Amino acid sequence: MCGIVGYVGRKPVLDILLDGLEQLEYRGYDSSGIAVKCSDEIKVYKAEGKLSNLREELAPHAYELAKSTIGIGHIRWATHGAPTVINAHPHTCNCGRLVIVHNGIIENFKEIKKELEAKGCVFKSQTDTEAVAHLIADIYGQVKDLTKAVRLATDKIQGAYALCIMHNDEKDKLVVTKRNAPLVIGIGEGEFYVASDVPAIIKHTKRAIYLTDNQIATLTPDTIKLENEKGDEINPKVEILP
Ligand code: GLU
């Protein structure tokens, strides 16, 4: 099953991501990873095995990452590729400016991978997920709008997914979407939380939006824009968590 988390706001992101992942451990996992934006650069950290291994990996970087207020995280249950550091999420595009975490299975990733390799994309992992990272980045290169790139990319992919995406050229922005996999957005004051399940966000907020299939949300610290698959803006339905 695995789990994803995300945060955009004004608080230090590191502990929010790690604590959120800890709350999702019950879903089962074999490796973990996070990506955070730090001084205009996206940094990715991954580890095999327990979340405590990722915490150890991150410990020497705690000071330099302390100012980061946006990031995404993942605990992986390997479906495509062994549970190694290379296959752990987040995955990146060629240039590393786009990062993605994914829960689920992309059924047509081989076709997408073939097309993208022909265009010069170099794959580093054996995962289905990496195809989505390159696909969104490829489209982003043409449309220069992350939400639009995600919409056009998800039109092409088949399978099940919850996705949380961050791009270095899109300041303070997360884009999230899902199809046949759970995803909830927690609403705070000047901040948003993203998670596969409520335990990862309940400590922070009781106000939440459950994404429905094919909706895409664009989150910045102070705004949420929710769209259907056609790109029409819709009003988010806010629920109060018990
Ligand atoms: N299919 C992806 C992979 O194997 C995601 C698995 C998951 O949901 O953890 O990396």
Side-chain angles (χ1 to χ4, degrees):
M1 269 203 297
C2 104
I4 68 179
V5 294
Y7 175 80
V8 55
R10 295 180 171 88
K11 293 181 190 146
V13 73
L14 198 53
D15 284 342
I16 292 173
L17 295 180
L18 291 170
D19 293 347
L21 290 176
E22 205 169 302
Q23 297 304 318
L24 299 178
E25 280 184 305
Y26 75 91
R27 293 166 66 85
Y29 68 105
D30 50 46
S31 52
S32 59
I34 63 158
V36 297
K37 200 161 176 180
C38 195
S39 309
D40 285 338
E41 193 192 337
I42 289 180
K43 299 196 170 182
V44 179
Y45 302 87
K46 308 181 189 188
E48 280 179 33
K50 295 259 169 233
L51 200 53
S52 54
N53 297 346
L54 181 64
R55 286 189 186 273
E56 267 174 38
E57 171 82 24
L58 282 161
H61 306 284
Y63 181 75
E64 62 183 290
L65 302 182
K67 286 201 184 118
S68 177
T69 56
I70 177 168
I72 60 179
H74 189 264
I75 48 175
R76 177 173 186 240
W77 184 259
T79 65
H80 293 69
T84 57
V85 169
I86 288 222
N87 288 333
H89 301 212
H91 287 287
T92 61
C93 61
N94 274 357
C95 67
R97 298 179 78 75
L98 179 138
V99 281
I100 182 169
V101 286
H102 164 223
N103 171 208
I105 289 173
I106 307 301
E107 284 159 12
N108 60 339
F109 81 97
K110 283 191 185 146
E111 292 91 305
I112 294 171
K113 183 174 176 178
K114 215 168 152 190
E115 268 178 39
L116 291 165
E117 280 179 331
K119 284 184 169 183
C121 288
V122 179
F123 281 67
K124 299 176 275 294
S125 77
Q126 284 80 49
T127 62
D128 49 342
T129 304
E130 194 184 346
V132 185
H134 288 289
L135 179 63
I136 299 173
D138 181 57
I139 298 172
Y140 182 83
Q142 298 152 41
V143 301
K144 301 286 180 214
D145 174 325
L146 188 57
T147 311
K148 194 170 177 189
V150 170
R151 188 170 62 248
L152 294 171
T154 50
D155 281 349
K156 287 190 84 170
I157 60 181
Q158 290 158 13
Y161 55 79
L163 299 170
C164 188
I165 304 131
M166 181 166 76
H167 196 293
N168 213 19
D169 297 353
E170 304 259 338
K171 194 171 159 17
D172 295 336
K173 188 184 284 183
L174 294 182
V175 177
V176 296
T177 187
K178 61 147 262 165
R179 190 187 294 159
N180 296 325
L183 197 75
V184 61
I185 298 171
I187 309 165
E189 295 297 324
E191 60 183 2
F192 289 94
Y193 299 82
V194 177
S196 297
D197 198 4
V198 168
I201 62 170
I202 194 74
K203 174 171 142 190
H204 306 289
T205 181
K206 288 201 155 223
R207 298 173 66 224
I209 298 160
Y210 287 92
L211 275 201
T212 62
D213 282 356
N214 304 312
Q215 290 182 337
I216 300 178
T218 306
L219 309 171
T220 71
D222 296 307
T223 61
I224 174 167
K225 191 171 166 211
L226 189 64
E227 296 175 11
N228 63 18
E229 65 211 90
K230 293 189 207 120
D232 302 326
E233 198 165 341
I234 45 181
N235 281 333
K237 186 169 161 236
V238 179
E239 309 207 13
I240 305 302
L241 299 171

